[in-house]
Every structure is written in C-alpha cells, then in structure tokens.
Amino acid sequence: MTTQGTSPIAGPAVLAEVVRSGFVEGRHRGSLVVLAADGSVDSALSLGEPGVPVFPRSSNKPMQAAAILRTGLDLDGELLALTAASHSAETFHLDGVRKILAGAGLTTDALQTPPSLPLDQVESEAWIRSGGHPEPILMDCSGKHAAMLAACVSRGWDTATYLDPGHPLQQQLLNTFQQLTGETVPAVGTDGCGAPLLATSLVGLARAFRAIVLADPGSPERRVADAMRAHPEYVAGTRRIDTWLMRGVPGSMAKMGAEAVQAVALADGRAVAFKLEDGGYRAVGPVLAAVLERMGVAADSDTLSRIASAPLYGGGRVVGAVRAAF
C-alpha cells in the first residue's frame, strides 16, 4: 500500500505465495470480487481493487456467445459451448469448429485466427510428433471465430471484415457486453486471437456471469449457460480447470481468460471474478479453490483439491507449492 499525505490508497492484494522449501520466494498480487446471491458486492470476501477496469480476455466469451445468438444464429449443445470456448484443440474440438463452419457453407480458410499450436501441452506435443504445424483452427479461439463467421453469413454481413470493431457483428457484441456488465466499456483493445477486446471491471465481469446464469430459460444468455454447463469439455478440455469445476460443482459456469483472469457464477446467483496482475496462470487454481472454499461452495471430494494443486519441483521432486495467501 502506498500513501498520499495521510490518505491510504488501496492497491492489489497478495492473492498467492510461491513457497519453495518452506521459504516464500515470490508473490502474486491481484484483485478479486465476490458477489452475494442478491448481486451485491461481498466486501468481506473481496480483495484489492475490483472496481478498476481490466481486459478479461477470454472470460468475455460467454457474453460474446450470447451476443452471437442475439443475431439470430441457431446453435445449441456442444457447438454453442464451443462458441464460448478456449479449447485445447482435442479432436472433438476441431471437429466441432469444422461443423459450425460447414453449417454456414464455409471452410477453415475463412478463419482469421492466427496460426497456432494446441493450447494443451499434451495435444501440442502429439500434434508436433505427427508432423503437424501451427494452423488457424488450432488456435483456442477458433470456435468463437467460427460462430462469428456463421452469424455473419446468416445475416448477410461481410465475412472478410468480421473482426473490424465497426462491423455490425462487433457492434452487437459491444451492446450486449455493456448490457450484461452494467458498465460502459472504458477501453477497446485487440485480443490475442485478433478480435476486439472489451474492458470492464471485475465487478462488471462477475455481474455479467451472474446475469447469464440467472437469465430466463430459453433466452440467449441462459442457452449459453446451459450449453457450457452441459458440455464443459467443449468449453476447455479434458485436462482443464474450467472443465473440472463445472463437472464438480453442479450448476456452476466457469471461464478462464489469458493473463490470469477467472470468473465463475453459481446457480444460486453468487459469482466471483479475479485477475492476477502479473498474469501468473500457475496461481489461478490455488486462488480459485481458496475463494470457493471461503464462499462455502460444495464440491465433490476431489474437485477443489485438484484445482488447487500447483506443486513446485526441485531436482525432479516436489519441494513446494503455489498457495493462496488469503
């Protein structure tokens, strides 16, 4: 904390510690917000500066998916979950992306995602061993891009410029995002996939997740929540935190974002969102498990411990861990 005169100025809080051989060798600072079931901020559980704008990165995808449905595109089930995904490029993910594109009469050539290797290390190593190389479809956002393209085809909008912030599709995404977060977007950037990236506060992010989970059945927002919860492997992958959480905590909707962002909404209307300032993804699991435990979230016996596990190695053996610090 720094001071200006006699008035304290709040800053990011220490959310995790890096402990090696019993010695704290590093810390991950950030901000975290918890919303109560009625949507109010739970000040006893919130830390840092959750009202300061951040780029939520891929945690924005559930809102983007809802906006895509609002254009009139008809997707459901695993393909809708894939629209909100940061997928691992497992075979079923790639098949789903091709299916979305084929439904619009398109091929993978229409994708404007940058060529990439699979996000998941196991899949990436297998792809390289098979002689594969970076491709646009392997990029973890290709499901979202495929759905964006399909929406453009269904509305007769230009597909070559679908990533332009002024494009009708992106304007729909902007309007939906502002409605669900309850905030005016303070900044627009470019995400890693090339799509416009909308900023909001962690409070706004948690508010949007809560609104999606509590939306009326059959609405675009609720369809996104239901698809993600029914098909969590399509949202992430078989070896990913979001999948484990949505499988282990019935009714939860979870979505990570790059630079160590995580948001979760529960079926009862409670929600949490946090960001680690240094983008240290290794601390996301420990922080997420700790805040869910403090919220009293019930999970199966293995889910939270699995999410919290972040061991440190020395000489090929475990000598410490990244652990939550609150």
Side-chain angles (χ1 to χ4, degrees):
M1 177 180 293
T2 60
T3 60
Q4 182 177 0
T6 59
S7 300
I9 300 175
V14 176
L15 299 185
E17 296 175 331
V18 183
V19 184
R20 180 179 297 275
S21 303
F23 181 82
V24 178
E25 68 171 348
R27 297 171 179 84
H28 294 278
R29 292 173 170 82
S31 297
L32 178 153
V33 67
V34 174
L35 300 185
D38 64 0
S40 62
V41 173
D42 186 336
S43 57
L45 295 178
S46 301
L47 298 164
E49 299 178 316
V52 173
V54 301
F55 278 140
R57 303 296 296 273
S58 284
S59 292
N60 282 350
K61 284 177 178 172
M63 292 80 86
Q64 292 171 319
I68 289 170
L69 290 185
R70 287 186 181 189
T71 69
L73 183 66
D74 188 19
L75 286 178
D76 277 303
E78 64 272 14
L79 298 185
L80 180 53
L82 190 57
T83 299
S86 296
H87 65 71
S88 294
E90 296 174 66
T91 299
F92 63 92
H93 294 133
L94 305 183
D95 289 344
V97 173
R98 294 187 184 99
K99 188 172 182 179
I100 294 172
L101 290 168
L106 300 171
T107 69
T108 57
D109 291 338
L111 292 170
Q112 293 184 27
T113 43
S116 176
L117 290 170
L119 182 65
D120 181 270
Q121 183 175 350
V122 173
E123 298 300 324
S124 183
E125 291 174 354
W127 186 263
I128 292 170
R129 284 197 302 270
S130 70
H133 53 82
E135 296 184 20
I137 193 175
L138 300 177
M139 205 272 171
D140 60 282
C141 301
S142 65
K144 178 182 76 175
H145 280 245
M148 286 180 174
L149 285 161
C152 289
V153 170
S154 71
R155 292 297 300 270
W157 293 333
D158 182 48
T159 57
T161 59
Y162 76 97
L163 297 182
D164 189 318
H167 191 283
L169 173 70
Q170 298 301 334
Q171 288 299 298
Q172 175 70 69
L173 268 62
L174 172 64
N175 293 337
T176 300
F177 185 83
Q178 292 185 144
Q179 179 186 350
L180 293 174
T181 61
E183 297 179 359
T184 300
V185 169
V188 179
T190 302
D191 212 338
C193 66
L197 175 59
L198 308 178
T200 189
S201 71
L202 292 171
V203 176
L205 180 60
R207 186 186 295 124
F209 270 56
R210 178 178 182 273
I212 290 172
V213 165
L214 296 182
D216 292 336
S219 65
E221 294 74 30
R222 182 62 173 271
R223 287 169 60 191
V224 170
D226 290 347
M228 292 176 66
R229 294 182 291 192
H231 306 280
E233 289 84 0
Y234 278 83
V235 177
T238 56
R239 293 172 287 272
R240 302 271 296 284
I241 286 175
D242 285 337
T243 301
W244 301 338
L245 180 60
M246 286 188 277
R247 285 292 183 209
V249 181
S252 64
M253 185 186 82
K255 186 69 194 72
M256 57 75 70
E259 295 299 317
V261 178
Q262 181 73 53
V264 178
L266 304 175
D268 62 6
R270 289 181 294 164
V272 58
F274 65 84
K275 174 177 170 51
L276 300 171
E277 272 214 326
D278 61 1
Y281 185 74
R282 64 179 177 174
V284 168
V287 172
L288 177 59
V291 69
L292 292 175
E293 288 177 355
R294 290 190 66 187
M295 293 168 66
V297 171
D300 64 49
S301 58
D302 297 325
T303 296
L304 294 187
S305 60
R306 187 181 190 186
I307 290 172
S309 178
L312 296 178
Y313 293 89
R317 61 187 178 87
V318 176
V319 296
V322 181
R323 67 186 185 192
F326 57 92

